[in-house]
Amino acid sequence: AFLSNAAGNPGDIGRLCDGEIQVSGINYYIFYGEYYCLNEAYTDRLNDSLRGKLRKEFYTTELRTVWPVGHDEDWFNEEVSNNEGFVHLHKVKPDYIEFADLLKYENDTVTVVHVKDGFDCDMRALDRQVELSVTKIIDIKHNNNESYLRNLYQKASIHGVGLNITAVFPTVDEFLDCMKNKPVRYIIAIRPTNKDLLANSSNIAKHCLNALILRCFQQGIELRIQIL
C-alpha cells in the first residue's frame, strides 16, 4: 500500500491509503481506506456492477486521432491538441494537480479529457486525477473559489506544447467565466490491452473505473468513456 496526495481530511490517514496487500495468503485491495477481499466472489460482483454501468450511451468516439503502438501518452496528447483543437494541459500541474490532459470549449460546453495508456493498477492515478479535477470545478461553480484555475491558466499560458490556452481564452477572466458558468463534461480516454474492459485482468482497474463512474453520477458530472 502507499500514501497518496489525495484530497480529503489530512488527519484521516486510512482514507488516503490504497494498494494491494496479502494477509495469511489472501489478497486484499485497500481503496479509500476500505478493504476488499480479492476472491472469486468479489470478482464476480465487481464485473456485474461494472457491466451495468458500461452501457452504450456512456461511450464516445469523438477523439479522432489514431494512437499507434509504440507511441506514448505525450505523443498522443500533443497530436490530439494540434489536430483536433484541444488545449494542451498534459503535465501542467499547479499545486501538483493535473486538471486535464486536454480541454476543449465547443458548443457552449467545456470538455475535459484525461488520457490513460493501459487498463491496470495505474487506473488509481486516473481516478485521483479526475476526482481532484472535479473538486476544482465544484470549487469555482459553488464556492466561487477560482484560485486553482487562475493558477492553471497562468501556467498553461506559458506552456509550449500543443494548442496554447490563450488561443481559446485570450484572458484569464474569459477562462474563469467559462469554467464557472458553462457546463463541464469529462471524457476518460483509455488504451487498454483488451478493448472489452471486463475481459481485462486487473480488478484494481475495474474497481477504480466502477467507483469513478458512480462518483461522477452522484456529483451530477457527465462522464464518457472512449476506448482507443
Side-chain angles (χ1 to χ4, degrees), residues 85-154:
F86 282 81
V87 174
H88 191 281
L89 295 175
H90 181 49
K91 296 185 177 178
V92 178
K93 298 181 179 181
D95 301 333
Y96 303 101
I97 297 170
E98 187 172 75
F99 178 78
D101 288 306
L102 302 159
L103 182 146
K104 178 178 271 191
Y105 177 54
E106 187 176 57
N107 299 326
D108 217 35
T109 299
V110 178
T111 297
V112 176
V113 181
H114 285 270
V115 176
K116 175 72 176 65
D117 189 8
F119 189 65
D120 51 31
C121 63
D122 288 338
M123 280 292 293
R124 292 177 297 193
L126 180 70
D127 176 64
R128 290 282 196 261
Q129 286 174 347
V130 176
E131 179 193 22
L132 294 173
S133 179
V134 169
T135 297
K136 298 308 177 185
I137 291 297
I138 292 172
D139 248 4
I140 192 170
K141 287 186 177 296
H142 301 295
N143 304 321
N144 204 31
N145 183 355
E146 62 184 36
S147 59
Y148 171 83
L149 289 173
R150 182 178 292 277
N151 195 8
L152 174 67
Y153 182 91
Q154 298 301 334

Side-chain angles (χ1 to χ4, degrees), residues 45-105:
R45 290 196 307 272
L46 177 59
N47 284 339
D48 287 343
S49 179
L50 188 55
R51 185 178 293 109
K53 296 179 177 68
L54 294 178
R55 301 194 297 273
K56 288 184 179 180
E57 61 265 31
F58 293 122
Y59 285 95
T60 185
T61 58
E62 55 202 274
L63 299 182
R64 304 184 306 275
T65 300
V66 176
W67 191 350
V69 174
H71 291 77
D72 61 11
E73 286 184 34
D74 293 351
W75 178 90
F76 180 77
N77 283 311
E78 187 171 354
E79 285 291 301
V80 174
S81 177
N82 287 329
N83 297 326
E84 300 187 42
F86 282 81
V87 174
H88 191 281
L89 295 175
H90 181 49
K91 296 185 177 178
V92 178
K93 298 181 179 181
D95 301 333
Y96 303 101
I97 297 170
E98 187 172 75
F99 178 78
D101 288 306
L102 302 159
L103 182 146
K104 178 178 271 191
Y105 177 54

